[in-house]
Amino acid sequence: MGLIVLLAALPLFFAFLTALTVPLRLEKLAKYPFLAGAVAPWAVFLFERAGNEVVGGWPRIGGIEVSLNPHNTPIVLAELVLFTAVAIYSLDYFKEVKAFVLLLLLHAGLLGAFISRDLFNFYIFMEIASVSSFALVGSSGEKKAVRAAYKYLMLSLLASYFFVFSIGVIYLKTGYLNLELISESVMSSKEINVAIAIAFASLLLKAGIFPLHVWLPDAHSLAPTPVSALLSGAVVKAPVYGMILIFSALPVSEGLSETAMVLAVASVFFGVAMALLQKDAKRLLAYHTVSQMGYVLLGIASMNFVGAAYYAMAHSLFKGGLFLSVGSLGKKSRKLGEFGYKNAPLMALSVLMLSLAIGGVSPFIGSYAKGLISSGLAGAWKWAVLAGSVGTLVSFTKLNYYLAKGEAPALPLSWKFASFALALVTLVSGLVLGVVPKVKDIYPLPVALTIFLLLKAAGVFNLVLEKEDVKPSEVNTGAMLFALFLLLLLYLAEL
């Protein structure tokens, strides 16, 4: 009997046990079932073979199919590594049992979405992860965080409604929800093209990719630090995996693929440009998620699904580590220049390693992932990857410039361990995947340093773009952008 489904079932079971400590007045013991739920899926992942299985042995047409395959195994592995690090970090961060329960529900939702092989179950698990995320973003109780959670909730629900509608159209035209059966029976038609366009726009909004990123910088920067790490490192990968399912099973038109390529490159450079202008450290990292998701979309749009999966894995590791590191250092103030790692050598080493990893410098995993994405591209698209890497290094030069001048507060050992462990994983995983130090990877570093110094001399970093608050009207703006973008995609689908 296959056990892949236990990847999602075990965190759900331990979430129940963790919640049970409250009525039993055993709250002090809640961290034990929480940690068990965090690491239990590792046993399944390490000992279960790759393959497909239908839960309960039912026929594929009516059963729930799950799998571990080359398109989702890197993403599942990254989620397990990141969640384990965040769980250790959270023990000294959260005091209430409900946070541990919500984290385990998020864990179960993400793993369930990543192993799903039918559209409806993928949607259900993605929503479990989303609902847990809304609650966790607003869990601090601060006014800005609650408003950011509300904005995230409203726009994510809007995307969910349209995604379910697209699933309904696909079901009506093919008679199936299972991806294998859909791919075997689907015929290209206007209805299918419209369904793909609606599904793509919905998942783009949920993934926070330009131009539908409007909720992401607020939610990711205002959430508690361990939640920011999970949002940026893992939660936005669920809709991305949905795009892999759609693009790999359905006949995506050339026009939509080209549109996705353009959006991917636009997201890479828009995220970098906005990150360079931020004075809030976590907001800088949040805009880099917009940028980095562009690389993942480049892989999907070019039908390089393995490349997209490995880039998603790499981003989970180095961005999760960066949020934990920088969020720890800036626990009293997030403004650049008011904190740093001058007196914290281990945290300094962690941030520097993670900065090199996100910049694509070998032998870190970022170099391997960028190489995979580039291998599926031709001509000018390859140069976009290189130019984006230089831009990323410029903004992380800025981050490290300010961090090198400030001092860190006293930090719990678990926070230092979690941050350094993720930095180490980005190095070790790169070496395991066969990345060796390359001289050509060194060339972008002096170029990035020179651009940083020129921008600093020009006063670019003195520009003020900080937001005072999250306004309710921003939900309307986001919904209007989504509607306009959806109309554009529907127009392209009719061409």
Side-chain angles (χ1 to χ4, degrees):
M1 183 182 73
L3 300 175
I4 296 174
V5 71
L6 291 181
L7 280 168
L10 286 172
L12 279 177
F13 172 69
F14 283 103
F16 169 73
L17 292 184
T18 305
L20 203 58
T21 61
V22 177
L24 295 177
R25 298 183 182 279
L26 296 172
E27 290 94 334
K28 290 183 179 178
L29 302 179
K31 62 182 178 182
Y32 298 109
F34 168 66
L35 282 177
V39 301
W42 274 105
V44 180
F45 182 81
L46 292 175
F47 295 107
E48 184 63 22
R49 289 180 300 176
N52 290 30
E53 64 186 47
V54 181
V55 180
W58 294 90
R60 181 177 267 168
I61 189 172
I64 297 173
E65 185 171 15
V66 294
S67 78
L68 282 175
N69 57 53
H71 293 170
N72 66 4
T73 299
I75 304 176
V76 171
L77 176 59
E79 200 277 346
L80 290 173
V81 172
L82 176 59
F83 194 88
T84 302
V86 167
I88 294 169
Y89 187 101
S90 297
L91 294 177
D92 285 313
Y93 192 98
F94 291 113
K95 304 301 179 190
E96 296 183 349
V97 175
K98 70 177 181 182
F100 294 146
V101 176
L102 287 170
L103 284 170
L104 287 179
L105 289 176
L106 177 57
H107 196 26
L110 290 172
L111 289 172
F114 294 149
I115 62 175
S116 290
R117 287 298 297 167
D118 73 80
L119 289 176
F120 189 71
N121 284 296
F122 164 76
Y123 163 75
I124 293 295
F125 279 109
M126 182 171 66
E127 289 309 296
I128 291 174
S130 296
V131 171
S132 308
S133 299
F134 308 145
L136 284 165
V137 170
S139 63
S140 68
E142 295 180 10
K143 180 182 172 184
K144 279 188 178 182
V146 172
R147 288 191 169 191
Y150 174 77
K151 180 178 169 184
Y152 178 23
L153 169 67
M154 290 295 106
L155 293 177
S156 184
L157 284 179
L158 176 66
S160 297
Y161 297 146
F162 278 89
F163 185 65
V164 170
F165 176 75
S166 69
I167 292 175
V169 174
I170 293 168
Y171 180 71
L172 285 174
K173 292 298 293 181
T174 66
Y176 303 114
L177 292 170
N178 181 284
L179 268 299
E180 296 294 329
L181 298 176
I182 289 173
S183 64
E184 291 170 5
S185 62
V186 68
M187 301 286 286
S188 185
S189 66
K190 282 191 175 181
E191 291 84 355
I192 288 292
N193 289 343
V194 167
I196 293 172
I198 293 173
F200 178 62
S202 305
L203 295 171
L204 210 65
L205 178 57
K206 277 184 168 286
I209 296 174
F210 177 85
L212 303 181
H213 63 282
V214 290
W215 61 268
L216 189 149
D218 291 327
H220 285 207
S221 62
L222 295 171
T225 289
V227 179
S228 297
L230 284 174
L231 287 176
S232 188
V235 174
V236 292
K237 305 305 184 310
V240 160
Y241 182 64
M243 290 184 204
I244 291 178
L245 295 180
I246 296 288
F247 275 58
S248 62
L250 292 160
V252 176
S253 67
E254 189 175 338
L256 185 61
S257 293
E258 290 174 353
T259 302
M261 295 284 283
V262 172
L263 288 176
V265 173
S267 199
V268 167
F269 292 105
F270 173 81
V272 166
M274 291 302 293
L276 280 169
L277 297 174
Q278 302 305 312
K279 289 184 169 59
D280 181 310
K282 284 183 70 175
R283 202 166 177 83
L284 181 153
L285 295 179
Y287 270 110
H288 259 293
T289 298
V290 178
S291 174
Q292 295 289 308
M293 294 303 287
Y295 293 103
V296 183
L297 183 58
L298 260 180
I300 297 170
S302 59
M303 306 297 172
N304 179 6
F305 303 123
V306 173
Y310 273 96
Y311 204 93
M313 172 187 179
H315 181 253
S316 295
L317 299 175
F318 49 63
K319 183 50 72 66
L322 281 164
F323 263 114
L324 291 187
S325 303
V326 175
S328 302
L329 295 168
K331 68 176 185 178
K332 293 182 179 176
S333 168
R334 300 189 323 221
K335 188 175 181 180
L336 290 172
E338 294 184 354
F339 67 96
Y341 51 49
K342 191 163 66 174
N343 60 331
L346 187 63
M347 296 300 284
L349 180 61
S350 301
V351 176
L352 286 170
M353 289 172 68
L354 291 161
S355 299
L356 293 173
I358 198 172
V361 177
S362 59
F364 294 92
I365 191 172
S367 173
Y368 178 80
K370 279 191 167 65
L372 275 183
I373 294 295
S374 288
S375 69
L377 302 174
W381 297 111
K382 283 182 183 285
W383 288 102
V385 174
L386 178 61
S389 297
V390 172
T392 301
L393 287 169
V394 174
S395 58
F396 279 91
T397 301
K398 172 190 171 183
L399 176 68
N400 282 280
Y401 169 79
Y402 285 106
L403 292 181
K405 297 197 300 183
E407 294 197 347
L411 300 176
L413 182 61
S414 62
W415 293 12
K416 297 178 186 176
F417 171 78
S419 301
F420 184 67
L422 286 173
L424 201 58
V425 169
T426 62
L427 175 61
V428 173
S429 55
L431 294 171
V432 169
L433 289 168
V435 182
V436 294
K438 301 171 191 167
V439 176
K440 69 175 186 180
D441 282 354
I442 305 299
Y443 297 153
L445 291 172
V447 175
L449 180 60
T450 303
I451 295 173
F452 165 74
L453 292 173
L454 290 173
L455 292 175
K456 185 172 181 296
V460 170
F461 301 142
N462 296 327
L463 297 174
V464 178
L465 288 181
E466 301 303 323
K467 290 180 62 179
E468 294 296 327
D469 200 355
V470 182
K471 299 176 181 175
S473 60
E474 292 174 18
V475 175
N476 298 334
T477 305
M480 185 179 68
L481 275 173
F482 174 73
L484 291 173
F485 184 75
L486 182 57
L487 288 173
L488 173 64
L489 288 186
L490 290 175
Y491 171 74
L492 291 173
E494 288 292 318
L495 290 179

